[in-house]
Amino acid sequence: MSRTVEMEEAEEVLSRAMVATITGTRPQVSADDVAELLYSTFGFEEGDFTTHLHKPEDFLIIIGSRASKDRMNGDHYIRCSRFSLSLRPWCKLAHAGSGGFEYRVELELRGIPAHAWHLATAEHILGTGVWIERLHPQTRSRADLATFRLSGRAHDPADIRRAATLEIVEVTPGRTASSAPTVTTLMYPIAIALARSDVDRARAPSSHAARPDGAGDGRAAADGDVDAG
C-alpha cells in the first residue's frame, strides 16, 4: 500500500515513542505497572505519556512532548522489585524486511463508471498486486472516460488479474425515521489489460531478465498479455 497522510502523522507522533520489553523471568506486568515505574524513574507526572500494549515488544510508550522525550532519550534498562524493563526508541525499521517491485507495468481498465472514476477505485480493483505510480494525463483530466490508464509497479505481471467485478454499495434511507435503510450494490464488470511490461533490472533477479517468453522486454501487448516476441 502507498504511504498515507495518516501514516506520516502517526510517524510524527511515534518519533516521541519508546518500546518496552519485560526482561528476566517475564512476570505478568500491566500498563499501569509500567507507568508507575516510569513515574518513579524519570520523574514524570500523570499526563506526560500514555502506555499501550504492543507486539512484538510488550509495551509502546508515547511521550507527550519533545522535552519529556529528551529526558529519556536513548536505550535504558530500568527495574523495580518485581520486574525489569528494556526501553529503546520506537523505529519503523525494527521488524521490517526490505523489498521492491521487479516490473514496471502500464494497465488499461475498462468498465469503471464515471461516478467512480478515481484513483481509489483502481486501487480497490487491482488490490495488492499492483502499486499505482501515476495516472495517464487523459485519465486524470477525464478527457477519456472510456479507458482508465495507469502506470505502476508489480512483482509479476502474470499475477495481475485480467477481469474483476466492481461492487459499489448503495444505501437508501428508510421510508420513515424508524425504518432501517436498504443496502444494495451496483455491480460493474471490469476488464483489465496489460498494455506494457518492463523488467526493472535494478530489482529483478537475473532469471527474470532472461525469461524465454520475452516477458519484460518492454514491448506493448496487443491482447493484454506480455508479447512473447
Side-chain angles (χ1 to χ4, degrees), residues 39-60:
Y39 291 144
S40 61
T41 302
F42 297 101
F44 286 135
E45 298 179 357
E46 188 171 351
D48 283 346
F49 63 88
T50 57
T51 307
H52 311 263
L53 298 178
H54 186 258
K55 288 295 180 184
E57 298 88 2
D58 297 302
F59 298 96
L60 176 71

Side-chain angles (χ1 to χ4, degrees), residues 17-29:
M18 305 285 286
V19 290
T21 302
I22 304 166
T23 62
T25 59
R26 293 184 54 80
Q28 190 73 26
V29 176

Side-chain angles (χ1 to χ4, degrees), residues 3-174:
R3 281 181 58 83
T4 63
V5 172
E6 290 82 2
M7 286 184 188
E8 293 176 358
E9 292 173 347
E11 287 182 18
E12 175 61 28
V13 172
L14 290 166
S15 68
R16 305 190 306 271
M18 305 285 286
V19 290
T21 302
I22 304 166
T23 62
T25 59
R26 293 184 54 80
Q28 190 73 26
V29 176
S30 70
D32 289 340
D33 294 333
V34 172
E36 289 299 327
L37 181 55
L38 293 176
Y39 291 144
S40 61
T41 302
F42 297 101
F44 286 135
E45 298 179 357
E46 188 171 351
D48 283 346
F49 63 88
T50 57
T51 307
H52 311 263
L53 298 178
H54 186 258
K55 288 295 180 184
E57 298 88 2
D58 297 302
F59 298 96
L60 176 71
I61 301 155
I62 300 178
I63 315 300
S65 68
R66 180 61 59 184
S68 295
K69 171 65 163 52
D70 290 343
R71 288 160 59 184
M72 59 181 303
N73 205 23
D75 296 352
H76 298 274
Y77 180 80
I78 60 177
R79 62 184 304 161
C80 62
S81 59
R82 195 170 66 83
F83 66 93
S84 56
L85 289 178
S86 173
L87 295 167
R88 59 180 174 79
W90 175 87
C91 177
K92 67 180 179 181
L93 303 178
H95 305 288
S98 177
F101 295 103
E102 294 83 2
Y103 289 87
R104 299 172 183 267
V105 296
E106 294 179 8
L107 300 176
E108 297 177 350
L109 283 64
R110 296 178 176 85
I112 296 178
H115 70 290
W117 198 264
H118 308 293
L119 170 62
T121 302
E123 290 177 330
H124 174 79
I125 292 169
L126 295 172
T128 59
V130 178
W131 175 69
I132 299 174
E133 191 167 12
R134 66 178 63 88
L135 301 182
H136 189 280
Q138 288 193 323
T139 296
R140 192 170 56 249
S141 68
R142 301 192 176 200
D144 178 3
L145 287 172
T147 304
F148 196 106
R149 295 181 172 88
L150 60 90
S151 300
R153 308 289 183 101
H155 290 298
D156 189 342
D159 293 337
I160 301 172
R161 56 183 176 173
R162 299 300 193 262
T165 298
L166 174 62
E167 191 169 11
I168 300 176
V169 176
E170 295 279 309
V171 180
T172 304

